[in-house]
Amino acid sequence: MKKNLSVLILSALPVLALASGNHAGGHHGASGHGHEMTGHAHVSAPVGQPGDPARVTRTIEIEMLDTMRFMPGEISVNAGETVRFIVKNAGKLPHEMVIGSLDDLKAHAIEMRHNPSMMHDEPNAITLEAGQSGSLVWKFDQSGTVDFACTIPGHLEGGMVGKVRVN
């Protein structure tokens, strides 16, 4: 009986290690997390890739509001453009801006509901406390629509979603 219990406990350890939130997907408890929704950071994807700060072609300011909105909520850029987003949390709640496909953002919002203390540390995301500002540099490779959202529990569901139209 003791031997079977030991085997059961040892076989469960890998599952528990993955569930702890510190796995290769980039999640790290309250100290920071990320969910890379664009594939490998250096490979072009439909949503783009991390931008080189030395190659920024435009700066766009975005405010995150407690009304669960981004201001502006829709942005237009040109394919190939590298944008520096100056992101300001103008509210009293923590907010974040995560760039990805809407499906990936929705899936990540569900993950966040199960692990609400996670914080982003990926190049496609920035998390800010009330009153904080920060920046995010992103290169938009392909024409189409790229989404961004706040995946803090309840925020995306409350309408905190934006779009980048890439011409």
Side-chain angles (χ1 to χ4, degrees):
M1 177 74 168
K2 283 185 177 182
K3 185 177 179 181
N4 288 341
L5 183 58
S6 297
V7 170
L8 178 62
I9 290 170
L10 289 173
S11 66
L13 287 177
V15 173
L16 293 172
L18 286 174
S20 72
N22 195 8
H23 58 276
H27 295 92
H28 308 290
S31 65
H33 92 294
H35 185 256
E36 185 132 0
M37 290 171 272
T38 60
H40 190 273
H42 301 291
V43 175
S44 176
V47 297
Q49 63 181 315
D52 178 353
R55 296 180 182 249
V56 168
T57 55
R58 183 162 40 141
T59 298
I60 298 173
E61 294 182 13
I62 295 183
E63 284 191 327
M64 299 184 293
L65 309 171
D66 286 348
T67 57
M68 301 303 143
R69 298 291 181 264
F70 290 98
M71 195 56 104
E74 191 166 310
I75 299 160
S76 293
V77 302
N78 294 315
E81 207 171 351
T82 299
V83 175
R84 177 183 322 265
F85 292 102
I86 302 295
V87 186
K88 180 178 182 188
N89 183 346
K92 295 182 180 180
L93 301 170
H95 291 293
E96 62 187 16
M97 177 181 172
V98 184
I99 298 171
S101 72
L102 191 55
D103 287 340
D104 285 342
L105 292 166
K106 285 179 179 178
H108 191 66
I110 291 169
E111 267 187 79
M112 291 284 291
R113 242 181 284 140
H114 297 296
N115 300 293
S117 65
M118 295 188 308
M119 302 295 291
H120 288 98
D121 65 1
E122 297 293 337
N124 65 322
I126 185 168
T127 303
L128 299 169
E129 294 296 324
Q132 288 184 326
S133 294
S135 68
L136 180 69
V137 177
W138 199 255
K139 181 177 181 183
F140 296 92
D141 294 333
Q142 303 172 29
S143 59
T145 302
V146 177
D147 299 294
F148 58 94
C150 180
T151 60
I152 290 175
H155 293 208
L156 182 143
E157 298 83 354
M160 201 162 183
V161 182
K163 293 199 176 298
V164 179
R165 306 238 183 252
V166 186
N167 303 313

